[in-house]
Amino acid sequence: MYNNKTILITGGTDGIGRSLVLQYLKHGANVVTCGRDQQKILALEAEAPMGKLYVLNADVSNEKDCERLVNHAVKMFGGIDVLINNAGISMRGLMEEGGAGIIPVVKRVMDINFNGVLYSTTYALPYIIKSKGVIVGISSIAGYRGLPGRSGYSASKFALQGFLEAIKTEVVDQGVHVMWVSPGFTASNIRNVALNHKGEKQGESPLKESQLMDSDTCAKIIIDAISKRKRTVVMTFQGKQTVFMNKFFPGLADKLVRKFFFRDGKLVK
């Protein structure tokens, strides 16, 4: 069903985004994506069939880059059938540790995770309406439940889901489908490059990456959900449990989340 369809994926040179790019190419789709690491861009291009992939060096927090990305997709392949807002960055730092210094960290996370979605969706929307296509946001459990140490990340994912839900109700009568998916903890580089309370890359993961869902499995679930035009997808049992508990037993959820992320009063995850 994706043969010669045009898929625009932000942040497609690493992690879940890269897996999405490669799997859509196997489905015969035309794919346009972006990244900021030239070596990763070249490595991705080397795996792609000739003429089916276009990769732009772009930063989604830059509005002009997002406009340029959409324009390239339309110029190369004539339109856009699916937009997947995947590019994102995480953070790990307590508000009390950062003080006023954490404000630019939160702003940077919002610039990428929310404003990037705003820019890409705004410029792609006319073409998505024309194709009666799909707009997707890669969200998180942090979009349902605020997570300690991830205040800016949680804020960005709450904003993403609210924005997409509003857009969904605006364009539903025009045949456009809007959805968001929450992968839960997935083995990727996102925690290694997460920003700490000083705005520096964390450089390590507080989780056991080998025990997490791999990005290829995550991408398959996302593509299946898009094919079926599901409203939302929460992938893991732990994620579903968290959403349920937070909705119906918020006080208990506070205690359980605190217990999960803290040991002896210190943030450990």
Side-chain angles (χ1 to χ4, degrees):
M1 66 180 293
Y2 291 113
N3 191 47
N4 289 324
K5 297 292 185 179
T6 300
I7 317 296
L8 175 56
I9 303 169
T10 63
T13 59
D14 205 358
I16 296 171
R18 192 176 196 277
S19 292
L20 285 167
V21 168
L22 294 175
Q23 289 186 35
Y24 267 118
L25 287 170
K26 289 180 180 178
H27 283 294
N30 303 313
V31 180
V32 177
T33 191
C34 64
R36 292 182 293 166
D37 186 316
Q38 192 61 32
Q39 292 301 316
K40 291 181 179 180
I41 289 174
L42 293 173
L44 180 61
E45 288 176 330
E47 293 192 47
M50 185 69 68
K52 302 294 286 185
L53 174 68
Y54 185 86
V55 189
L56 194 69
N57 193 319
D59 180 349
V60 296
S61 68
N62 183 306
E63 181 183 346
K64 291 298 182 183
D65 277 7
C66 291
E67 182 182 17
R68 187 161 55 95
L69 181 65
V70 169
N71 288 341
H72 274 288
V74 175
K75 181 179 179 181
M76 292 292 294
F77 301 115
I80 302 171
D81 296 288
V82 179
L83 166 65
I84 303 179
N85 291 291
N86 168 75
I89 191 171
S90 189
M91 66 170 286
R92 184 172 178 265
L94 300 174
M95 291 293 293
E96 64 179 317
E97 290 179 343
I102 207 168
I103 292 175
V105 178
V106 174
K107 284 184 174 180
R108 178 60 179 160
V109 172
M110 289 295 294
D111 276 344
I112 295 172
N113 293 4
F114 176 69
N115 288 338
V117 176
L118 169 64
Y119 301 148
S120 298
T121 302
T122 299
Y123 287 109
L125 187 58
Y127 305 104
I128 297 288
I129 290 174
K130 185 176 180 180
S131 67
K132 298 186 185 299
V134 182
I135 298 171
V136 186
I138 304 301
S139 187
S140 166
I141 299 306
Y144 292 92
R145 160 79 212 191
L147 301 181
R150 282 84 172 168
S151 52
Y153 184 71
S154 293
S156 70
K157 295 304 182 180
F158 268 82
L160 177 149
Q161 292 185 187
F163 173 70
L164 291 181
E165 191 166 47
I167 297 299
K168 180 182 182 71
T169 53
E170 290 179 12
V171 298
V172 64
D173 288 343
Q174 298 179 68
V176 174
H177 183 64
V178 182
M179 58 182 287
W180 50 96
V181 297
S182 300
F185 290 121
T186 304
S188 71
N189 195 43
I190 190 169
R191 280 167 293 282
N192 294 312
V193 298
L195 304 179
N196 63 20
H197 64 278
K198 298 178 181 179
E200 302 165 342
K201 290 183 180 179
Q202 182 173 279
E204 60 181 0
S205 173
L207 302 175
K208 295 181 179 179
E209 297 287 321
S210 62
Q211 297 179 4
L212 306 181
M213 180 185 293
D214 64 89
S215 60
D216 287 341
T217 300
C218 182
K220 288 177 183 177
I221 295 172
I222 293 169
I223 292 172
D224 180 66
I226 294 171
S227 301
K228 295 176 180 176
R229 293 199 167 202
K230 291 186 176 181
R231 178 184 179 88
T232 61
V233 176
V234 177
M235 293 188 189
T236 64
F237 174 77
Q238 184 182 57
K240 293 173 183 176
Q241 186 181 51
T242 302
V243 173
F244 176 84
M245 293 294 292
N246 201 59
K247 183 176 182 179
F248 294 103
F249 306 99
L252 179 58
D254 289 342
K255 295 178 182 178
L256 293 174
V257 170
R258 173 78 188 188
K259 184 178 180 180
F260 180 81
F261 281 95
F262 286 87
R263 292 288 184 277
D264 300 321
K266 294 183 178 180
L267 186 70
V268 294
K269 291 184 179 177

